Every structure is written in C-alpha cells, then in structure tokens.
Amino acid sequence: MLIDRVYRPLTTAGKALFETATTYLDGGGGLESTARVLFVHPNTVRYRLGRIAKTTGYDLTQPREAHTVWLAIAVGRLAESSQREWRRSLQGLEPPIHEIVDESPFVGTL
C-alpha cells in the first residue's frame, strides 16, 4: 500500500525530507522555487530529492513517480486525520453533536 511504501518512510526519515517532498510537489516540481521556499541552496534540494528516491523508491523528478508520491502523501494525511478522530471518539473527546434549531424569522409566516 502507498501509505506503507511511501508516506510512512517519508515521515520517519525526518521533517526535512517530508517538507522538501511536499514543497517540491506543491510547487510543480521546480527545484529553484523549492529551494527559495525552504530557504536552502538548490544543491540541498537535489541532495534531498536523492535521499527521497532512496527512501521511497520513487524519483520525484519523473512525473508519474511524482504523482504517485503526491497521492501517497494525500492519502497518508487523510488516513492520519481519520485515525486521530477515531481515537478521540474512543476516548470520549468528541464534541457533543448539538441539535440544529431553526431560528429563522420566516418560519410559519406564510
């Protein structure tokens, strides 16, 4: 599964690699723009992209592989957020669901 092969290795490899991958993908794959956003040298971005390829097995400079990693990150984030909500509901930390009361001034005025 993509979460196990891409998302988890990226998150456990360190914040810098995950941040570089997301910034690079969100910026359309621009090396220079990624370096500017991250306040690092373009060679640092190149080095990190190489480490990302070694960690995940996907080369972000290849469009198909970049799209696969982008999807894996999106799915991983969704899975993580739904897991947090599920844990909160087990611990009783979910906010109570309030009944929606229609307080419209137009109710029954026809």
Side-chain angles (χ1 to χ4, degrees):
M1 183 169 217
L2 285 178
I3 294 173
D4 296 329
R5 289 180 54 200
V6 178
Y7 183 75
R8 285 197 184 114
L10 263 181
T11 56
T12 58
K15 181 181 175 187
L17 288 187
F18 187 78
E19 196 173 69
T20 300
T22 55
T23 304
Y24 183 79
L25 294 170
D26 290 344
L31 190 83
E32 298 287 332
S33 61
T34 301
R36 267 183 264 137
V37 169
L38 296 175
F39 299 106
V40 297
H41 194 275
N43 287 341
T44 304
V45 175
R46 283 186 191 92
Y47 173 73
R48 289 179 184 175
L49 290 175
R51 285 186 48 207
I52 290 166
K54 286 180 184 175
T55 302
T56 63
Y58 290 94
D59 182 2
L60 297 185
T61 62
Q62 300 300 315
R64 280 185 185 216
E65 294 184 19
H67 186 70
T68 302
V69 173
W70 182 81
L71 284 173
I73 290 171
V75 170
R77 285 177 171 166
L78 285 172
E80 216 173 60
S81 67
S82 66
Q83 185 71 14
R84 272 192 230 118
E85 290 173 15
W86 180 75
R87 284 186 188 143
R88 273 193 248 149
S89 68
L90 286 179
Q91 296 170 348
L93 298 176
E94 283 293 307
I97 299 173
H98 298 289
E99 219 176 282
I100 298 173
V101 179
D102 190 10
E103 298 179 10
S104 172
F106 302 109
V107 174
T109 58
L110 289 179

